[in-house]
Amino acid sequence: MNTKKSEALYQSALNFMPGGVNSPVRACKNVGKTPLFIERAEGDKIIDADGNEYIDYVCSWGPNILGHGRKEIIEAVKHSCDNGLTFGACHRGEIALAEIIQRNIPSMEMLRLVNSGTEAVMSAVRAARGYTGRDKIIKFEGCYHGHSDGLLVRAGSGLLTGAIPDSAGVPKGYTENTLLAVYNSEQSVTELFEKYGNEIAAVIIEPCAANMGVVPPKKGFLEFLRSITEQYQSILIFDEVITGFRLSLGGAQQYYGVTPDLTTLGKIVGGGMPLAVYGGKREIMECVAPLGSVYQAGTLSGNPAAVSAGLAALSILKSEPELYEQLDKKGEVLEKAFVESGFNVNRVGSLLTVFFTSQVVTDYDTAKTSDTKEFARFYSYLLENGIYTAPSQFEAMFLSSAHSNEDIDYTCEIISQYKKIIGNQKRRTQ
Ligand code: KE4
């Protein structure tokens, strides 16, 4: 692939943004590449500055479940912009969007529109603390909930309290109330509740993890979290920024049949525009200003352009319920091709990750046994063959309704080709 124009643009970008990017994972550092600059996108394709076309399995990290440039969404945004970009005031679209969210996710009895998943999670955690009057939060190793200070933590050895900040610039005091548990380990959660039960405001989890690669909840794990949080009167928060409207119209809580007290949404709910949501039990959300004493605000929250994109996207999803079954089938075809080529795959619906480890990946420790150099080789091979995936072992492949059967079949062909090449190389070195 000739990527000279992207490389030149990257050099310019380095003068202005840290690492030349506006989000670290785009820098492609851990796959030994420099980022492609994308000019436009259509359906399941993205086209870079050099005119190279790729089948896109990043889908902007999840929002584009309907593919790129879906005309109903574009038209809705254009129409909204004709009436002005942002009013900093109430408008009817906010009610329509809240209504369609609540109709599909009934646990969100009351909600607030914000501008990013990070903001949604930060606000949900604050609401949980404000409602319970408690300070501690349990999160799980390997789950990512945006970059708010208190959630940027990493376990040193699994169960840790007062975790060590994972990012510079986060004072130790900001993470002292962040307790770390192990994904899919009931024991790790029980031990924290036995030690800190009535100090724990909430448990926050990705109900199907996708930020250590895709790691589904073990059978009964979410039910266990629901029961132990009820027992200790803590709040259960489902971070559905990825799974919301991805696993089903009702998100992971409908897919797995477990109802949280608070939910955060992002990505798909904004139809590709900066919009996210937090919400849940009315009695909790009534603690939020101006009704209650939990303060949260935003200049562009619920702005008409983003709301119009979210409304258009959710209306399409609502009108095409068979879409989820079709997405699951597309995921199944890809998964089968990977498995038949000897790859280790975790898949839930249209979310999947190929792990370069022989271990079954059920949590962060097993995910971390992956050979990231082998992953980087695979990533580069796919890219050279016109297949664009996340430049990190610890992300997901996303499918959309725009992914054609031909493009999926082509992807399967490249996957099996890669395995043959690697197999031949291994035989030659033996
Ligand atoms: P944003 O602030 O990036 O909109 O959302 C943060 C967030 C919260 N919760 C979950 C479960 C998330 O996955 C995310 C963000 N996801 C990453 C990709 N795994 C965004 C990509 C990026 O950081 O550039």
Side-chain angles (χ1 to χ4, degrees), residues 23 25 61 116-118 144-146 206 211 239 241-242 267 395:
S23 198
V25 75
W61 307 94
S116 72
T118 295
Y144 176 71
H145 302 290
E206 291 178 58
N211 283 292
D239 179 350
V241 166
I242 284 186
K267 299 180 193 272
E395 295 290 351

Side-chain angles (χ1 to χ4, degrees), residues 156-227:
S157 57
L159 275 187
L160 259 190
T161 59
I164 301 157
D166 192 28
S167 165
V170 176
K172 192 170 172 306
Y174 279 49
T175 57
E176 271 166 3
N177 286 309
T178 307
L179 310 177
L180 283 143
V182 176
Y183 203 85
N184 281 322
S185 158
E186 295 185 9
Q187 185 200 336
S188 70
V189 178
T190 304
E191 284 173 3
L192 287 172
F193 268 103
E194 281 170 355
K195 191 164 183 179
Y196 297 99
N198 60 6
E199 295 175 61
I200 297 172
V203 172
I204 184 166
I205 189 165
E206 291 178 58
C208 171
N211 283 292
M212 49 179 137
V214 175
V215 177
K218 274 181 180 162
K219 195 164 172 31
F221 185 61
L222 297 178
E223 291 82 349
F224 158 76
L225 291 179
R226 180 62 286 178
S227 126

